[in-house]
Amino acid sequence: MVAVTGGFYFYLPPMITFVVLLTEIVREKEKKLRLGLSLMGMSNTAFWLSWSATALLFSFIVSNLLILSGFICSFDVFTSCPYEILVILFTTYSFAMAVLAFLISTIISSSKSAYTTSYVFLLTGMVL
């Protein structure tokens, strides 16, 4: 069963992190909320650390939900591999996608472009 649906099953949850973070960061930039925060004294380091903490938490939650659903469906990968390794693997991949979203968000300036770009990444990865 994992051989047939594994590619989508392992790829889509981390991509949810990518899509959500990219669109939210760009929306915040588009509405100039970051400028308001910097005017109130928030440094760039604190801004990106807060987004990194959010991304790490979101990645951890998405990874645990993926592992839980894999256990419920009794996929061999999830039943034969230790939980700690699965958490590290999926959280690291999901956080790497979040960091890619941070990188792309510096280039994109509108929410529509962010949606389009994130879905291009999503669909391209699904095809590959």
Side-chain angles (χ1 to χ4, degrees):
M1 179 98 126
V2 173
V4 176
T5 61
F8 294 116
Y9 191 74
F10 300 145
Y11 178 73
L12 285 179
M15 287 307 292
I16 291 169
T17 305
F18 174 78
V19 169
V20 169
L21 286 174
L22 180 61
T23 54
E24 289 302 315
I25 292 171
V26 171
R27 183 178 301 134
E28 188 175 81
K29 183 166 72 168
E30 187 178 33
K31 292 185 178 191
K32 301 200 185 314
L33 297 175
R34 183 175 172 197
L35 180 63
L37 288 172
S38 66
L39 289 175
M40 289 188 289
M42 184 178 204
S43 67
N44 281 335
T45 305
F47 175 79
W48 287 111
L49 279 176
S50 67
W51 271 113
S52 296
T54 303
L56 189 60
L57 179 67
F58 196 63
S59 297
F60 185 73
I61 291 169
V62 166
S63 298
N64 277 314
L65 288 174
L66 172 64
I67 293 167
L68 179 66
S69 62
F71 277 127
I72 290 171
C73 295
S74 298
F75 289 154
D76 290 335
V77 174
F78 296 100
T79 56
S80 63
C81 191
Y83 169 76
E84 295 83 14
I85 292 175
L86 291 172
V87 167
I88 291 169
L89 175 73
F90 289 121
T91 303
T92 304
Y93 176 59
S94 185
F95 190 70
M97 294 309 297
V99 172
L100 180 64
F102 295 163
L103 176 72
I104 294 172
S105 72
T106 60
I107 301 168
I108 298 173
S109 59
S110 72
S111 296
K112 287 183 181 182
S113 298
Y115 280 118
T116 304
T117 304
S118 62
Y119 286 116
V120 164
F121 270 84
L122 179 76
L123 294 175
T124 302
M126 288 176 71
V127 169
L128 294 178

